[in-house]
């Protein structure tokens, strides 16, 4: 597998997913710049770092995610990091012909019927998801790219409560990491998640003390994705 020797830069190199990737990496040639080394708000900073490292791939994981209501409270930060920051990364990847892999979310689907396929109509469920879709728009303009719509979380499940009336297809960061080498050369859009089940059923396997909670007032009932495209790849 030639891809394994090629350099891969992970933006947001000190983030939750990036840290788990660093810990679990076996044979990928990875670089984890923090935001001082590669600041996605500065075209110059992105260009300087990528010119120095000369990667074949950028995994764009930097951005603003939690807490989700920060995207309602501080829309300026949300727009800067998730929309403008992503557009900046796209511009430099295009300039240096670097393959770009963007970390998006399952929450850009409407969350009503579930089992969403990659080309189903989208309707973000909240402001966080709109900001991630804003990022997707610029990535779509660059054809040498892959958008990952992820439903992932840390292991063990970190919260004390899990929704027993919301279906999703969460996957642990560690399991997403196993998939990365197989998708590096794919393009377009790819859903990444596990089995469709209630969030509570998923959570209790790694956190037996987790308690049931209703999520219907906060989330739509079924933001799960169809993962048949992913299954064919792995
Ligand atoms: N968490 C999930 O399960 C999940 C699910 C679906 C999709 N995603 C997406 O996957 C990606 C990674 O998730 P995560 O949970 O690992 O996120 P995270 O822990 O919030 O990591 C994001 C990183 O980006 C950094 N950052 C902030 N501003 C920056 C800037 N101007 N330049 C460069 N880096 C900057 C943050 O640094 P500071 O913390 O120091 O500001 C942080 O280290 C995110 O894009 C998220 O939207 C996550």
């Amino acid at each position: 597998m030639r891809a394994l020797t090629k350099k891969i830069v992970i933006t947001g190199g000190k983030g939750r997913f990036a840290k788990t990737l660093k810990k679990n990496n076996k044979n990928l040639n990875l670089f984890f710049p923090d935001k001082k080394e590669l600041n996605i708000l500065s075209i110059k900073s992105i260009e300087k770092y990528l010119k120095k490292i000369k990667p074949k791939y950028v995994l764009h994981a930097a951005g603003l995610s939690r807490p989700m209501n920060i995207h309602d409270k501080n829309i300026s930060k949300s727009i800067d990091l998730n929309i403008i920051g992503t557009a900046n990364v796209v511009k430099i990847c295009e300039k240096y012909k670097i393959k770009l892999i963007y970390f998006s979310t399952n929450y850009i689907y409407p969350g009503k019927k579930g089992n969403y396929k990659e080309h189903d109509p989208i309707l973000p469920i909240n402001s966080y998801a709109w900001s991630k879709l804003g990022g997707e728009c610029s990535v779509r303009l660059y054809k040498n790219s892959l958008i990952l719509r992820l439903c992932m979380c840390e292991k063990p499940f970190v919260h004390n409560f899990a929704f027993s009336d919301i279906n999703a297809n969460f996957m642990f960061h560690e399991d997403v990491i196993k998939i990365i080498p197989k998708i590096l050369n794919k393009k377009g859009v790819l859903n990444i998640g596990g089995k469709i089940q209630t969030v509570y059923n998923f959570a209790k396997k790694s956190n037996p003390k987790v308690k049931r909670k209703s999520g219907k007032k906060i989330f739509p009932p079924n933001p799960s994705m169809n993962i048949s495209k992913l299954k064919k790849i792995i």
Side-chain angles (χ1 to χ4, degrees):
M1 284 236 272
R2 266 179 40 226
L4 299 185
T5 62
K6 304 285 185 195
K7 291 177 184 171
I8 305 173
V9 166
I10 292 88
T11 65
K14 295 283 178 284
R16 284 178 288 254
F17 178 80
K19 276 191 195 150
T20 311
L21 177 56
K22 194 169 190 178
K23 207 167 114 191
N24 289 273
N25 179 42
K26 293 201 175 80
N27 48 16
L28 294 177
N29 192 6
L30 303 176
F31 294 78
F32 295 92
D34 61 25
K35 65 183 175 194
K36 284 189 197 132
E37 296 169 284
L38 189 165
N39 180 354
I40 61 167
L41 299 181
S42 158
I43 291 256
K44 273 190 187 163
S45 163
I46 303 167
E47 183 160 19
K48 191 173 165 206
Y49 188 84
L50 295 182
K51 252 173 98 172
K52 183 177 80 180
I53 303 295
K54 296 186 179 59
K56 180 167 171 70
Y57 307 94
V58 164
L59 299 191
H60 177 41
L64 186 66
S65 50
R66 291 186 211 165
M68 276 202 197
N69 65 4
I70 196 167
H71 300 270
D72 298 306
K73 290 181 177 165
N74 192 344
I75 66 165
S76 191
K77 193 171 182 186
S78 175
I79 291 168
D80 281 345
L81 285 172
N82 289 356
I83 303 179
I84 298 172
T86 299
N88 289 339
V89 173
V90 175
K91 286 181 188 174
I92 300 302
C93 285
E94 197 254 339
K95 184 167 178 183
Y96 292 94
K97 299 187 171 33
I98 300 165
K99 171 70 182 286
L100 173 61
I101 297 167
Y102 171 59
F103 281 49
S104 186
T105 169
N106 61 313
Y107 294 137
I108 68 148
Y109 294 114
K112 293 202 172 110
K113 69 176 176 66
N115 201 31
Y116 293 101
K117 287 191 171 157
E118 284 82 352
H119 46 259
D120 277 348
I122 46 187
L123 181 60
I125 68 160
N126 59 20
S127 299
Y128 162 67
W130 275 108
S131 75
K132 296 300 291 184
L133 178 60
E136 278 199 17
C137 292
S138 64
V139 177
R140 285 266 183 138
L141 297 184
Y142 179 45
K143 301 304 171 215
N144 190 19
S145 70
L146 173 66
I147 290 167
L148 304 179
R149 293 187 179 146
L150 294 146
C151 181
M152 64 174 182
C153 67
E154 297 101 315
K155 190 178 184 181
F157 188 81
V158 289
H159 305 289
N160 297 326
F161 294 90
F163 302 138
S164 51
D165 51 4
I166 305 270
N167 275 313
N169 41 1
F170 274 101
M171 183 180 244
F172 292 118
H173 286 173
E174 286 82 346
D175 296 318
V176 174
I177 287 163
K178 289 180 195 151
I179 294 169
I180 299 283
K182 297 177 185 160
I183 49 117
L184 285 173
N185 292 320
K186 303 288 173 198
K187 289 180 184 173
V189 180
L190 184 62
N191 291 339
I192 298 207
K195 182 181 152 191
I196 298 177
Q197 57 190 318
T198 66
V199 182
Y200 173 76
N201 281 347
F202 169 80
K204 71 181 180 188
K205 288 173 202 149
S206 66
N207 177 357
K209 287 186 182 157
V210 74
K211 294 192 174 63
R212 291 166 190 269
K213 189 179 176 178
S214 171
K216 275 192 178 157
K217 284 190 182 150
I218 317 167
F219 281 102
N222 199 341
S224 67
M225 299 176 292
N226 182 295
I227 52 160
S228 52
K229 192 172 169 187
L230 173 68
K231 279 187 175 162
K232 277 185 201 146
I233 296 170
I234 58 177

Short mmCIF file of all heavy atoms in Angstrom, two decimals, residues 29-78:
data_model
loop_
_atom_site.label_atom_id
_atom_site.label_comp_id
_atom_site.label_asym_id
_atom_site.label_seq_id
_atom_site.Cartn_x
_atom_site.Cartn_y
_atom_site.Cartn_z
N ASN A 29 2.21 7.90 7.95
CA ASN A 29 3.23 8.94 8.13
C ASN A 29 2.53 10.27 8.46
O ASN A 29 2.25 11.06 7.56
CB ASN A 29 4.04 9.02 6.83
CG ASN A 29 5.29 9.84 6.99
OD1 ASN A 29 5.62 10.27 8.08
ND2 ASN A 29 5.98 10.06 5.88
N LEU A 30 2.25 10.46 9.75
CA LEU A 30 1.33 11.54 10.16
C LEU A 30 2.04 12.75 10.78
O LEU A 30 3.02 12.59 11.50
CB LEU A 30 0.33 11.00 11.19
CG LEU A 30 -0.50 9.79 10.77
CD1 LEU A 30 -1.37 9.34 11.94
CD2 LEU A 30 -1.38 10.13 9.58
N PHE A 31 1.46 13.94 10.54
CA PHE A 31 1.95 15.18 11.13
C PHE A 31 0.77 15.86 11.83
O PHE A 31 -0.30 15.95 11.24
CB PHE A 31 2.52 16.11 10.05
CG PHE A 31 3.75 15.54 9.39
CD1 PHE A 31 3.63 14.54 8.42
CD2 PHE A 31 5.01 15.97 9.76
CE1 PHE A 31 4.76 14.00 7.82
CE2 PHE A 31 6.15 15.44 9.16
CZ PHE A 31 6.03 14.44 8.19
N PHE A 32 1.00 16.32 13.06
CA PHE A 32 -0.08 16.87 13.88
C PHE A 32 0.18 18.31 14.30
O PHE A 32 0.46 18.57 15.48
CB PHE A 32 -0.27 16.01 15.14
CG PHE A 32 -0.73 14.61 14.88
CD1 PHE A 32 0.18 13.58 14.71
CD2 PHE A 32 -2.08 14.31 14.81
CE1 PHE A 32 -0.24 12.27 14.47
CE2 PHE A 32 -2.52 13.02 14.59
CZ PHE A 32 -1.60 11.99 14.41
N PRO A 33 0.12 19.28 13.36
CA PRO A 33 0.37 20.66 13.75
C PRO A 33 -0.69 21.18 14.71
O PRO A 33 -1.89 20.92 14.52
CB PRO A 33 0.30 21.41 12.41
CG PRO A 33 -0.58 20.56 11.56
CD PRO A 33 -0.28 19.15 11.95
N ASP A 34 -0.25 21.93 15.74
CA ASP A 34 -1.25 22.61 16.57
C ASP A 34 -1.63 23.92 15.88
O ASP A 34 -1.12 24.22 14.79
CB ASP A 34 -0.74 22.83 18.01
CG ASP A 34 0.51 23.71 18.05
OD1 ASP A 34 0.70 24.52 17.12
OD2 ASP A 34 1.30 23.58 19.01
N LYS A 35 -2.50 24.71 16.52
CA LYS A 35 -3.01 25.87 15.78
C LYS A 35 -2.01 27.01 15.67
O LYS A 35 -2.22 27.95 14.93
CB LYS A 35 -4.36 26.33 16.32
CG LYS A 35 -4.38 26.86 17.71
CD LYS A 35 -5.83 27.19 18.05
CE LYS A 35 -5.96 27.61 19.48
NZ LYS A 35 -7.32 27.64 19.95
N LYS A 36 -0.89 26.90 16.42
CA LYS A 36 0.17 27.90 16.22
C LYS A 36 0.96 27.56 14.96
O LYS A 36 1.38 28.44 14.21
CB LYS A 36 1.11 27.91 17.43
CG LYS A 36 0.53 28.60 18.62
CD LYS A 36 1.59 28.77 19.71
CE LYS A 36 0.90 29.07 21.01
NZ LYS A 36 1.38 28.26 22.11
N GLU A 37 1.16 26.29 14.72
CA GLU A 37 1.93 25.87 13.53
C GLU A 37 1.10 25.96 12.25
O GLU A 37 1.62 26.29 11.18
CB GLU A 37 2.40 24.42 13.70
CG GLU A 37 3.37 24.22 14.85
CD GLU A 37 3.56 22.75 15.12
OE1 GLU A 37 2.65 22.14 15.72
OE2 GLU A 37 4.61 22.20 14.73
N LEU A 38 -0.16 25.61 12.35
CA LEU A 38 -1.06 25.68 11.18
C LEU A 38 -2.39 26.25 11.66
O LEU A 38 -3.18 25.54 12.28
CB LEU A 38 -1.24 24.30 10.54
CG LEU A 38 -1.98 24.23 9.19
CD1 LEU A 38 -1.78 22.89 8.52
CD2 LEU A 38 -3.47 24.52 9.30
N ASN A 39 -2.57 27.55 11.43
CA ASN A 39 -3.78 28.24 11.86
C ASN A 39 -4.72 28.36 10.65
O ASN A 39 -4.41 29.08 9.69
CB ASN A 39 -3.40 29.63 12.41
CG ASN A 39 -4.62 30.41 12.88
OD1 ASN A 39 -5.76 29.97 12.70
ND2 ASN A 39 -4.38 31.55 13.47
N ILE A 40 -5.86 27.69 10.73
CA ILE A 40 -6.75 27.66 9.55
C ILE A 40 -7.38 29.03 9.25
O ILE A 40 -7.96 29.22 8.18
CB ILE A 40 -7.84 26.57 9.63
CG1 ILE A 40 -8.75 26.79 10.85
CG2 ILE A 40 -7.22 25.18 9.63
CD1 ILE A 40 -10.02 25.94 10.81
N LEU A 41 -7.25 29.98 10.18
CA LEU A 41 -7.77 31.32 9.93
C LEU A 41 -6.80 32.17 9.12
O LEU A 41 -7.14 33.27 8.70
CB LEU A 41 -8.10 32.03 11.25
CG LEU A 41 -9.16 31.34 12.11
CD1 LEU A 41 -9.42 32.12 13.38
CD2 LEU A 41 -10.45 31.14 11.33
N SER A 42 -5.60 31.64 8.91
CA SER A 42 -4.57 32.39 8.19
C SER A 42 -4.07 31.60 6.98
O SER A 42 -3.43 30.55 7.12
CB SER A 42 -3.40 32.69 9.13
OG SER A 42 -2.23 32.94 8.41
N ILE A 43 -4.39 32.11 5.79
CA ILE A 43 -3.94 31.47 4.55
C ILE A 43 -2.41 31.30 4.58
O ILE A 43 -1.89 30.26 4.19
CB ILE A 43 -4.35 32.35 3.34
CG1 ILE A 43 -5.86 32.32 3.16
CG2 ILE A 43 -3.60 31.95 2.09
CD1 ILE A 43 -6.36 31.47 2.03
N LYS A 44 -1.72 32.35 5.07
CA LYS A 44 -0.25 32.32 5.09
C LYS A 44 0.25 31.19 5.97
O LYS A 44 1.21 30.50 5.63
CB LYS A 44 0.29 33.65 5.65
CG LYS A 44 0.47 34.71 4.62
CD LYS A 44 1.23 35.88 5.22
CE LYS A 44 1.26 37.02 4.23
NZ LYS A 44 1.61 38.28 4.87
N SER A 45 -0.37 31.02 7.12
CA SER A 45 0.04 29.97 8.06
C SER A 45 -0.17 28.58 7.44
O SER A 45 0.69 27.70 7.52
CB SER A 45 -0.76 30.12 9.35
OG SER A 45 -0.69 28.96 10.11
N ILE A 46 -1.30 28.39 6.79
CA ILE A 46 -1.60 27.08 6.16
C ILE A 46 -0.56 26.83 5.07
O ILE A 46 0.03 25.73 4.99
CB ILE A 46 -3.02 27.06 5.54
CG1 ILE A 46 -4.09 27.39 6.57
CG2 ILE A 46 -3.31 25.69 4.90
CD1 ILE A 46 -5.47 27.70 5.96
N GLU A 47 -0.33 27.85 4.25
CA GLU A 47 0.59 27.69 3.12
C GLU A 47 2.02 27.40 3.61
O GLU A 47 2.70 26.51 3.09
CB GLU A 47 0.56 28.94 2.24
CG GLU A 47 1.43 28.80 1.00
CD GLU A 47 1.05 29.78 -0.10
OE1 GLU A 47 0.40 30.80 0.18
OE2 GLU A 47 1.44 29.51 -1.26
N LYS A 48 2.44 28.13 4.63
CA LYS A 48 3.81 27.97 5.15
C LYS A 48 4.02 26.53 5.64
O LYS A 48 5.00 25.87 5.30
CB LYS A 48 4.02 28.96 6.31
CG LYS A 48 5.45 29.07 6.75
CD LYS A 48 5.59 30.20 7.78
CE LYS A 48 6.94 30.06 8.46
NZ LYS A 48 6.96 30.62 9.79
N TYR A 49 3.06 26.04 6.40
CA TYR A 49 3.22 24.69 6.96
C TYR A 49 3.17 23.62 5.87
O TYR A 49 4.01 22.72 5.81
CB TYR A 49 2.14 24.44 8.02
CG TYR A 49 2.39 23.14 8.77
CD1 TYR A 49 3.26 23.10 9.84
CD2 TYR A 49 1.78 21.96 8.35
CE1 TYR A 49 3.52 21.91 10.50
CE2 TYR A 49 2.03 20.76 9.01
CZ TYR A 49 2.90 20.74 10.09
OH TYR A 49 3.16 19.54 10.72
N LEU A 50 2.22 23.76 4.96
CA LEU A 50 2.07 22.72 3.93
C LEU A 50 3.21 22.76 2.91
O LEU A 50 3.61 21.72 2.37
CB LEU A 50 0.69 22.82 3.26
CG LEU A 50 -0.51 22.53 4.19
CD1 LEU A 50 -1.82 22.60 3.42
CD2 LEU A 50 -0.39 21.18 4.90
N LYS A 51 3.75 23.95 2.67
CA LYS A 51 4.91 24.06 1.77
C LYS A 51 6.13 23.37 2.39
O LYS A 51 6.95 22.76 1.70
CB LYS A 51 5.25 25.54 1.53
CG LYS A 51 4.89 26.03 0.13
CD LYS A 51 5.09 27.50 0.02
CE LYS A 51 6.44 27.80 -0.64
NZ LYS A 51 6.56 29.26 -0.92
N LYS A 52 6.22 23.48 3.71
CA LYS A 52 7.36 22.88 4.42
C LYS A 52 7.24 21.34 4.46
O LYS A 52 8.18 20.63 4.12
CB LYS A 52 7.41 23.45 5.86
CG LYS A 52 8.60 22.96 6.68
CD LYS A 52 8.64 23.61 8.05
CE LYS A 52 7.67 22.92 8.98
NZ LYS A 52 7.59 23.43 10.33
N ILE A 53 6.08 20.86 4.77
CA ILE A 53 5.91 19.40 4.94
C ILE A 53 5.71 18.69 3.59
O ILE A 53 6.11 17.55 3.42
CB ILE A 53 4.71 19.10 5.89
CG1 ILE A 53 4.89 19.79 7.24
CG2 ILE A 53 4.50 17.59 6.08
CD1 ILE A 53 6.06 19.34 8.09
N LYS A 54 5.06 19.34 2.66
CA LYS A 54 4.73 18.75 1.35
C LYS A 54 3.97 17.41 1.49
O LYS A 54 4.43 16.37 1.01
CB LYS A 54 6.00 18.52 0.51
CG LYS A 54 6.72 19.81 0.14
CD LYS A 54 7.87 19.50 -0.82
CE LYS A 54 8.60 20.74 -1.25
NZ LYS A 54 9.19 21.51 -0.14
N PRO A 55 2.80 17.45 2.12
CA PRO A 55 2.04 16.19 2.27
C PRO A 55 1.31 15.81 0.98
O PRO A 55 1.08 16.66 0.11
CB PRO A 55 1.02 16.55 3.35
CG PRO A 55 0.76 18.00 3.12
CD PRO A 55 2.07 18.60 2.67
N LYS A 56 0.97 14.53 0.90
CA LYS A 56 0.10 14.09 -0.20
C LYS A 56 -1.36 14.30 0.18
O LYS A 56 -2.20 14.53 -0.67
CB LYS A 56 0.37 12.62 -0.52
CG LYS A 56 -0.50 12.07 -1.65
CD LYS A 56 0.01 10.74 -2.14
CE LYS A 56 -0.93 10.04 -3.10
NZ LYS A 56 -1.07 10.61 -4.41
N TYR A 57 -1.63 14.19 1.52
CA TYR A 57 -3.01 14.31 2.02
C TYR A 57 -3.10 15.30 3.18
O TYR A 57 -2.17 15.36 4.00
CB TYR A 57 -3.50 12.97 2.58
CG TYR A 57 -3.35 11.80 1.65
CD1 TYR A 57 -2.22 10.98 1.72
CD2 TYR A 57 -4.34 11.48 0.72
CE1 TYR A 57 -2.07 9.88 0.88
CE2 TYR A 57 -4.19 10.39 -0.12
CZ TYR A 57 -3.07 9.60 -0.04
OH TYR A 57 -2.93 8.52 -0.88
N VAL A 58 -4.23 16.01 3.24
CA VAL A 58 -4.58 16.77 4.44
C VAL A 58 -5.88 16.19 4.98
O VAL A 58 -6.87 16.07 4.24
CB VAL A 58 -4.76 18.27 4.14
CG1 VAL A 58 -5.48 18.97 5.29
CG2 VAL A 58 -3.41 18.94 3.93
N LEU A 59 -5.87 15.79 6.26
CA LEU A 59 -7.12 15.42 6.94
C LEU A 59 -7.55 16.67 7.70
O LEU A 59 -6.88 17.07 8.66
CB LEU A 59 -6.91 14.28 7.95
CG LEU A 59 -6.41 12.91 7.48
CD1 LEU A 59 -6.54 11.90 8.62
CD2 LEU A 59 -7.16 12.41 6.26
N HIS A 60 -8.62 17.29 7.25
CA HIS A 60 -9.02 18.57 7.85
C HIS A 60 -10.02 18.32 8.99
O HIS A 60 -11.22 18.21 8.77
CB HIS A 60 -9.61 19.48 6.77
CG HIS A 60 -10.10 20.78 7.32
ND1 HIS A 60 -9.43 21.49 8.29
CD2 HIS A 60 -11.22 21.50 7.03
CE1 HIS A 60 -10.12 22.57 8.59
NE2 HIS A 60 -11.20 22.60 7.84
N ALA A 61 -9.45 18.25 10.20
CA ALA A 61 -10.27 17.98 11.39
C ALA A 61 -10.36 19.19 12.31
O ALA A 61 -11.07 19.16 13.31
CB ALA A 61 -9.69 16.79 12.16
N ALA A 62 -9.63 20.27 11.99
CA ALA A 62 -9.69 21.47 12.84
C ALA A 62 -11.05 22.13 12.69
O ALA A 62 -11.68 22.04 11.63
CB ALA A 62 -8.60 22.45 12.44
N GLY A 63 -11.47 22.80 13.75
CA GLY A 63 -12.73 23.52 13.65
C GLY A 63 -13.36 23.70 15.01
O GLY A 63 -12.71 23.50 16.04
N LEU A 64 -14.62 24.10 14.98
CA LEU A 64 -15.37 24.33 16.22
C LEU A 64 -16.52 23.32 16.25
O LEU A 64 -17.32 23.27 15.32
CB LEU A 64 -15.93 25.77 16.19
CG LEU A 64 -16.62 26.27 17.44
CD1 LEU A 64 -15.63 26.39 18.61
CD2 LEU A 64 -17.29 27.62 17.18
N SER A 65 -16.55 22.50 17.31
CA SER A 65 -17.66 21.55 17.38
C SER A 65 -18.46 21.76 18.66
O SER A 65 -19.55 22.31 18.63
CB SER A 65 -17.17 20.11 17.21
OG SER A 65 -16.10 19.81 18.05
N ARG A 66 -17.89 21.38 19.81
CA ARG A 66 -18.66 21.43 21.06
C ARG A 66 -18.33 22.65 21.90
O ARG A 66 -17.20 23.14 21.81
CB ARG A 66 -18.31 20.18 21.89
CG ARG A 66 -18.83 18.93 21.28
CD ARG A 66 -18.54 17.83 22.26
NE ARG A 66 -18.32 16.58 21.57
CZ ARG A 66 -17.76 15.51 22.13
NH1 ARG A 66 -17.34 15.55 23.37
NH2 ARG A 66 -17.60 14.41 21.45
N PRO A 67 -19.24 23.06 22.80
CA PRO A 67 -20.62 22.59 22.91
C PRO A 67 -21.43 23.09 21.71
O PRO A 67 -21.16 24.17 21.19
CB PRO A 67 -21.12 23.24 24.21
CG PRO A 67 -20.28 24.47 24.37
CD PRO A 67 -18.95 24.15 23.76
N MET A 68 -22.40 22.27 21.31
CA MET A 68 -23.09 22.59 20.06
C MET A 68 -23.78 23.96 20.08
O MET A 68 -23.88 24.62 19.06
CB MET A 68 -24.11 21.52 19.72
CG MET A 68 -23.44 20.37 19.00
SD MET A 68 -24.63 19.43 18.08
CE MET A 68 -23.69 17.94 17.82
N ASN A 69 -24.22 24.40 21.27
CA ASN A 69 -24.93 25.70 21.29
C ASN A 69 -23.99 26.89 21.11
O ASN A 69 -24.46 28.01 20.96
CB ASN A 69 -25.81 25.85 22.54
CG ASN A 69 -24.99 25.90 23.82
OD1 ASN A 69 -23.76 25.90 23.79
ND2 ASN A 69 -25.69 25.96 24.94
N ILE A 70 -22.68 26.65 21.07
CA ILE A 70 -21.76 27.76 20.78
C ILE A 70 -22.00 28.29 19.36
O ILE A 70 -21.75 29.46 19.06
CB ILE A 70 -20.28 27.35 20.97
CG1 ILE A 70 -19.42 28.63 21.06
CG2 ILE A 70 -19.77 26.40 19.89
CD1 ILE A 70 -18.03 28.43 21.54
N HIS A 71 -22.56 27.44 18.50
CA HIS A 71 -22.84 27.85 17.11
C HIS A 71 -24.09 28.74 17.02
O HIS A 71 -24.36 29.33 15.99
CB HIS A 71 -22.97 26.62 16.20
CG HIS A 71 -21.71 25.79 16.21
ND1 HIS A 71 -20.70 26.00 15.32
CD2 HIS A 71 -21.30 24.81 17.05
CE1 HIS A 71 -19.71 25.14 15.59
NE2 HIS A 71 -20.05 24.42 16.64
N ASP A 72 -24.86 28.81 18.12
CA ASP A 72 -25.97 29.78 18.21
C ASP A 72 -25.51 31.03 18.92
O ASP A 72 -25.93 32.13 18.60
CB ASP A 72 -27.16 29.17 18.99
CG ASP A 72 -27.71 27.95 18.30
OD1 ASP A 72 -28.05 28.06 17.10
OD2 ASP A 72 -27.77 26.87 18.93
N LYS A 73 -24.62 30.83 19.91
CA LYS A 73 -24.20 31.96 20.76
C LYS A 73 -23.11 32.80 20.11
O LYS A 73 -23.04 33.99 20.32
CB LYS A 73 -23.68 31.43 22.09
CG LYS A 73 -24.76 30.86 22.96
CD LYS A 73 -24.16 30.38 24.26
CE LYS A 73 -25.24 29.85 25.20
NZ LYS A 73 -24.66 29.08 26.28
N ASN A 74 -22.20 32.14 19.38
CA ASN A 74 -21.06 32.88 18.81
C ASN A 74 -20.96 32.53 17.32
O ASN A 74 -20.07 31.78 16.89
CB ASN A 74 -19.78 32.49 19.57
CG ASN A 74 -18.62 33.41 19.23
OD1 ASN A 74 -18.68 34.14 18.23
ND2 ASN A 74 -17.58 33.38 20.04
N ILE A 75 -21.89 33.09 16.54
CA ILE A 75 -21.92 32.69 15.12
C ILE A 75 -20.70 33.17 14.37
O ILE A 75 -20.28 32.56 13.39
CB ILE A 75 -23.23 33.13 14.40
CG1 ILE A 75 -23.35 34.63 14.30
CG2 ILE A 75 -24.44 32.52 15.05
CD1 ILE A 75 -24.43 35.04 13.30
N SER A 76 -20.09 34.23 14.86
CA SER A 76 -18.90 34.75 14.18
C SER A 76 -17.77 33.71 14.24
O SER A 76 -17.10 33.43 13.23
CB SER A 76 -18.51 36.05 14.87
OG SER A 76 -17.55 36.70 14.13
N LYS A 77 -17.57 33.13 15.43
CA LYS A 77 -16.52 32.11 15.60
C LYS A 77 -16.84 30.85 14.77
O LYS A 77 -15.97 30.25 14.15
CB LYS A 77 -16.41 31.76 17.09
CG LYS A 77 -15.18 30.97 17.43
CD LYS A 77 -15.01 30.84 18.94
CE LYS A 77 -13.72 30.09 19.22
NZ LYS A 77 -13.54 29.79 20.64
N SER A 78 -18.12 30.49 14.76
CA SER A 78 -18.57 29.33 14.00
C SER A 78 -18.30 29.52 12.50
O SER A 78 -17.77 28.63 11.82
CB SER A 78 -20.07 29.11 14.27
OG SER A 78 -20.59 28.07 13.50
#
